Amino acid sequence: MKKYPRIQFQKRLDQLRNDVEEMGQTSLDSYKNAIDAFKNYDSELVNKVIRNHQKLQEMNYNLEQEAMSIIASEQPVAKDLRFIETSIKVASHLKRMGGLASNIADVAEHIKDEEIPEKPMNDITHMSDIVDGMVSKSLSAFLNEDMNLVRELKRDDDKVDDLFDQALNDISNSMFQEKEAISYMISLLFVARFLERIADRAENIGDRTIYMITCEKPGVADKLNQLINDEEKK
């Protein structure tokens, strides 16, 4: 049976969306495994994170190739084109999240035999919980075109920034109190930094989602409430 061009085009867009969703789930799994390995070291979890990082790189490459093929053959315009562009950007952020998760897993292996002081551990645990939610929210915001989730992402990112400052202070204090622990305390600083960067990536996915929906350029935090109100009136 002959397929109409528009139906074929829509199927390719649907598959692109599914590919982004699969990448998002893989990236989220990597993040969760990396955090679990950091809290309670498990070499198998570390290996899973490394394998997923490699998988995400391949998935990202394939998605980019398919997206460019769609643009070349279908010549999409307006929102369809913005969806394809945003899919490429979102996939890139998800790939980088997987890379940062791999970095956390590397640190977990490096400090697996160390006793981490309570305050820095609590700071990082709190950060990791918020970032976990941000990764999920960013993917849902994109897949469901949910601008309210984007607003939540921006609030969450502010919380992560505050916790990073607190972690920096607590880790620095622990270094002064336990000078022999300076080496692995620096590793803790890296984990806090990796978490902050993952949060930034999640917020960036939110910004790209706003662009996809409204055609407003990323970074419109001051206009977000008005954009949401405008969309709700449509």
Side-chain angles (χ1 to χ4, degrees), residues 69-92:
S69 173
I70 294 173
I71 291 173
S73 61
E74 306 290 351
Q75 298 183 340
V77 296
K79 191 172 181 180
D80 287 336
L81 180 58
R82 295 201 304 275
F83 167 75
I84 297 169
E85 291 175 341
T86 302
S87 294
I88 295 172
K89 292 288 186 181
V90 170
S92 177

Side-chain angles (χ1 to χ4, degrees), residues 201-215:
R201 294 284 174 182
E203 186 184 24
N204 288 340
I205 289 175
D207 283 340
R208 296 303 307 190
T209 298
I210 293 295
Y211 166 75
M212 178 179 70
I213 298 170
T214 67
C215 203

Side-chain angles (χ1 to χ4, degrees), residues 43-228:
S43 61
E44 181 55 33
L45 288 179
V46 170
N47 290 333
K48 283 182 179 179
V49 174
I50 294 171
R51 288 196 299 269
N52 272 350
H53 182 210
Q54 295 169 343
K55 180 180 178 182
L56 282 165
Q57 290 178 312
E58 182 177 349
M59 293 170 77
N60 183 65
Y61 175 80
N62 291 337
L63 185 144
E64 285 182 349
Q65 295 301 304
E66 176 59 19
M68 295 307 294
S69 173
I70 294 173
I71 291 173
S73 61
E74 306 290 351
Q75 298 183 340
V77 296
K79 191 172 181 180
D80 287 336
L81 180 58
R82 295 201 304 275
F83 167 75
I84 297 169
E85 291 175 341
T86 302
S87 294
I88 295 172
K89 292 288 186 181
V90 170
S92 177
H93 287 309
L94 292 171
K95 180 193 72 171
R96 292 180 183 276
M97 285 179 180
L100 291 165
S102 181
N103 291 341
I104 293 173
D106 288 341
V107 173
E109 187 166 29
H110 178 65
I111 65 172
K112 61 185 177 181
D113 297 322
E114 305 293 350
E115 186 69 30
I116 301 174
E118 184 178 0
K119 277 191 174 182
M121 189 63 182
N122 287 342
D123 294 335
I124 289 176
T125 298
H126 194 183
M127 281 183 75
S128 69
D129 289 343
I130 296 174
V131 173
D132 186 320
M134 290 184 71
V135 176
S136 296
K137 287 177 184 177
S138 66
L139 184 60
S140 293
F142 168 72
L143 294 173
N144 300 313
E145 299 187 13
D146 190 332
M147 295 174 68
N148 285 302
L149 278 180
V150 176
R151 181 159 50 189
E152 290 182 25
L153 282 168
K154 293 188 176 298
R155 288 196 294 261
D156 289 344
D157 189 59
D158 289 340
K159 293 177 185 177
V160 171
D161 288 342
D162 290 341
L163 283 168
F164 175 76
D165 292 339
Q166 184 176 324
L168 179 60
N169 183 64
D170 289 339
I171 292 170
S172 297
N173 288 338
S174 294
M175 285 181 178
F176 283 116
Q177 294 168 10
E178 303 177 48
K179 297 194 184 309
E180 69 279 4
I182 288 178
S183 175
Y184 75 82
M185 285 296 177
I186 291 174
S187 295
L188 288 185
L189 279 177
F190 279 122
V191 172
R193 178 59 178 150
F194 296 148
L195 289 171
E196 185 189 38
R197 289 174 64 188
I198 292 173
D200 288 341
R201 294 284 174 182
E203 186 184 24
N204 288 340
I205 289 175
D207 283 340
R208 296 303 307 190
T209 298
I210 293 295
Y211 166 75
M212 178 179 70
I213 298 170
T214 67
C215 203
E216 290 280 351
K217 65 180 180 179
V220 291
D222 55 329
K223 298 170 63 177
L224 183 55
N225 288 336
Q226 184 59 48
L227 289 170
I228 290 175

